[in-house]
Amino acid sequence: MNELTISLDPHRKTPLYEQIYGFIREEIRGGRIRAGERLPSARALSGYLSVSRSTVDLAYEQLVSEGYLESVPCKGYFVCEIEELYRLDEKKEETKEDDAAEQTPFHYDFAVTGTAPGGFPQNSWKKISKEVLLDADDSLFQLGDAKGEHGLREAIRDYLHHARGVNCRTEQIIVGAGNDYLLMLLSVILGRGHKVAMENPTYISAYRCFAKLGYAMCTISMDEAGMRPAELEKSGADLAYIMPSHQFPMGMVMPMKRRMQLLAWASRENGRYLIEDDYDSEFRYKGRPIPALQGNDTEGKVIYLGTFSRAIAPSIRISYMVLPETLLPAYEENGRCFSATVSKTDQKILEEFMRSGAFERHLNRMRAQYKGKHDLLIRLLKEFGREYTVSGENAGVHVLVHLPKGLSEAEAVQRAKEDGVRVYGLERYCIGAVADPAQGGTVLLGYAGLSEEEIAEAAAILKKCWNA
């Protein structure tokens, strides 16, 4: 057997080596790969699947340890006799494996979507909630404005103007339950037939959302400043989704020159728009806050997206979109028929939370807390050795660690997993080909959801297992 076609999905939570292991195991148990057959060499299979050699090695080693394969020196890997195994109830076996995977004990999780334990402003939120309900009249329980309540949109307008440099009228703001809903609404406003360009590596959730909505997709590579304008021009795209304030997952902040180049691209043709996701813009630990790209837009080419999920809590599920004036007629014609997806009660609570100053106080507290965790993690990572480098620091709530040559992403993730620490590989955010594993992998470490003590303990474990 010279080839083994396996459909791999780099965006699944299951590591690539486990996907390879699981496929071969089920092929053997199902009798589709028979006892005595020789499998492709690890080098040949890694080249055929476009994955690292260490990824295939891990899969083969697991199969050998479980008795599915036999490694014969100088000859290769051969399938063992396992007649009694492949007649087992496959459904039951898969259920057990899924349950075991869910119960994998991670003592520390560097989740990039984590939020600080106890960070939710429970006391002030609870107090304002009580006041809103006590003062409520019947109008609070009636169907509201499809764009969102006027009072909340005014509060968002004022916040965006002062904190993010966004210039807009209240009428341009639409409130919705999460960015996914707003992107679906945007697809109704813009219509089909567009081509969307996204940075690569990219924000996978938005990429999948656009793809499911039926848009043609393309990815644009990045340099140290962000999405490459020349490549974008050649792509044929008329919509470009960018994250200039803090690109996810790479963590870069787009400089002014590149912002102007992208605005120029959008201005060259009618129907071109930049979709600005102002991800993690609230958290910056060095230098002045970077204003939003929308504030530099003088031709109505930027569609601005923001959310309270990171700043307050993911469960709040309140996001907002600022449409250019030129798209308001299209919204009135195509999008006004969709009712608001956030309850008036929640909108009123958030409005009062912002107007009372509680939101500003909460942000200041969280910035100080996250900065302490950020500074601690950066200091600890410097102790790993000169061959480890860090990027994406000084903003947001995650950093990237670039591993030394010879330590692949899959191996780093697996070593950490075996020691009870969960880290996240960069490959899961890449579309198509990934970096050369010989150059060393890259992992993301999110620090928001861990205490400083947990960060120190987990970093010590990573330093030991990665340098082993």
Side-chain angles (χ1 to χ4, degrees):
M1 183 183 297
N2 295 320
E3 297 178 346
L4 195 59
T5 301
I6 304 173
S7 179
L8 300 178
D9 184 358
H11 312 309
R12 283 173 52 190
K13 292 183 178 179
T14 307
L16 293 178
Y17 86 92
E18 286 189 11
Q19 295 182 42
I20 297 171
Y21 151 82
F23 176 88
I24 297 175
R25 184 199 63 187
E26 295 308 313
E27 291 293 291
I28 294 173
R29 291 176 58 185
R32 292 176 289 276
I33 300 180
R34 296 179 177 83
E37 281 195 64
R38 181 180 181 274
L39 294 187
S41 68
R43 183 183 299 277
L45 185 58
S46 66
Y48 183 67
L49 298 178
S50 297
V51 299
S52 67
R53 168 73 180 274
S54 61
T55 298
V56 178
D57 285 336
L58 284 170
Y60 276 1
E61 288 169 8
Q62 185 66 27
L63 290 164
V64 170
S65 67
E66 294 184 9
Y68 290 99
L69 297 182
E70 178 184 12
S71 177
V72 179
C74 302
K75 292 186 177 181
Y77 293 92
F78 295 82
V79 179
C80 298
E81 289 282 351
I82 53 166
E83 294 179 351
E84 70 283 0
L85 288 181
Y86 68 74
R87 291 193 177 94
L88 291 174
D89 185 336
E90 292 187 7
K91 187 173 181 180
K92 288 184 179 180
E93 186 66 23
E94 284 183 4
T95 301
K96 289 181 179 179
E97 294 236 340
D98 289 343
D99 290 342
E102 291 296 323
Q103 297 172 6
T104 301
F106 287 106
H107 302 299
Y108 308 97
D109 189 348
F110 282 101
V112 295
T113 57
T115 55
F120 181 72
Q122 186 168 350
N123 291 336
S124 56
W125 194 268
K126 185 176 181 180
K127 178 177 179 291
I128 292 172
S129 299
K130 286 183 177 180
E131 292 173 351
V132 166
L133 292 174
L134 284 172
D135 297 338
D137 55 28
D138 289 343
S139 65
L140 186 65
F141 307 104
Q142 303 299 318
L143 189 64
D145 192 317
K147 287 184 177 180
E149 294 309 292
H150 191 271
L152 175 59
R153 289 187 288 123
E154 277 190 332
I156 292 174
R157 178 203 63 196
D158 294 342
Y159 165 71
L160 290 178
H161 179 69
H162 292 107
R164 302 299 305 127
V166 171
N167 300 313
C168 68
R169 298 185 299 119
T170 305
E171 289 72 20
Q172 294 174 246
I173 299 174
I174 301 174
V175 174
N179 281 10
D180 291 344
Y181 165 75
L182 291 176
L183 291 180
M184 288 189 284
L185 180 60
L186 182 60
S187 73
V188 174
I189 297 170
L190 294 174
R192 303 302 172 92
H194 297 281
K195 186 175 185 180
V196 182
M198 294 191 70
E199 300 154 326
N200 195 21
T202 193
Y203 180 38
I204 292 296
S205 177
Y207 183 92
R208 290 173 177 169
C209 186
F210 280 120
K212 292 293 184 183
L213 290 169
Y215 285 112
M217 303 297 298
C218 66
T219 56
I220 308 298
S221 63
M222 294 186 292
D223 56 21
E224 66 280 358
M227 181 181 282
R228 298 175 185 267
E231 191 174 330
L232 174 61
E233 187 69 53
K234 295 177 182 179
S235 70
D238 54 355
L239 300 174
Y241 189 99
I242 56 175
M243 309 172 82
S245 294
H246 190 238
Q247 200 275 343
F248 184 87
M250 300 306 291
M252 64 185 63
V253 177
M254 186 178 290
M256 185 58 67
K257 181 179 178 180
R258 182 58 49 87
R259 295 178 184 221
M260 294 299 102
Q261 289 173 330
L262 293 179
L263 283 172
W265 167 84
S267 300
R268 276 194 286 272
E269 290 188 16
N270 291 329
R272 284 183 177 180
Y273 291 98
L274 296 170
I275 302 174
E276 178 184 11
D277 185 342
D278 207 17
Y279 178 81
D280 268 356
S281 61
E282 299 89 354
F283 303 110
R284 183 168 176 81
Y285 316 121
K286 185 178 180 180
R288 294 181 177 181
I290 306 297
L293 173 66
Q294 194 270 1
N296 298 114
D297 177 26
T298 59
E299 299 186 29
K301 289 295 185 176
V302 175
I303 300 165
Y304 180 91
L305 295 174
T307 181
F308 293 99
S309 294
R310 175 71 76 188
I312 302 177
S315 60
I316 293 296
R317 299 300 297 160
I318 301 180
S319 298
Y320 47 89
M321 175 168 62
V322 180
L323 291 176
E325 294 275 2
T326 53
L327 288 179
L328 290 182
Y331 168 78
E332 294 296 333
E333 181 179 354
N334 303 319
R336 172 65 78 170
C337 59
F338 294 91
S339 299
T341 52
V342 181
S343 76
K344 289 178 70 174
T345 304
D346 289 340
Q347 292 187 59
K348 186 62 177 178
I349 293 170
L350 179 56
E351 176 192 342
E352 294 302 321
F353 185 70
M354 298 179 74
R355 292 194 183 281
S356 68
F359 181 51
E360 183 178 0
R361 291 191 295 272
H362 168 70
L363 277 181
N364 289 336
R365 181 169 62 88
M366 298 313 297
R367 285 193 193 102
Q369 188 175 137
Y370 288 155
K371 183 180 186 303
K373 296 178 181 182
H374 165 275
D375 293 349
L376 172 63
L377 181 58
I378 295 298
R379 186 168 66 251
L380 293 171
L381 291 173
K382 288 180 179 179
E383 299 174 0
F384 278 41
R386 294 176 59 186
E387 62 271 26
Y388 292 86
T389 58
V390 177
S391 65
E393 69 273 33
N394 298 319
V397 290
H398 79 276
V399 297
L400 293 89
V401 181
H402 305 282
L403 307 170
K405 293 181 180 180
L407 179 57
S408 71
E409 174 185 308
E411 186 177 359
V413 171
Q414 180 61 22
R415 288 187 191 180
K417 177 181 178 181
E418 290 171 355
D419 284 340
V421 180
R422 189 170 191 178
V423 299
Y424 297 80
L426 180 62
E427 288 186 7
R428 64 168 58 203
Y429 304 105
C430 296
I431 306 298
V434 296
D436 181 2
Q439 297 301 314
T442 300
V443 298
L444 280 69
L445 301 183
Y447 46 84
L450 297 173
S451 68
E452 291 192 9
E453 181 180 1
E454 289 172 328
I455 290 172
E457 293 171 353
I461 293 172
L462 292 179
K463 179 181 179 182
K464 182 178 180 181
C465 72
W466 284 351
N467 287 315

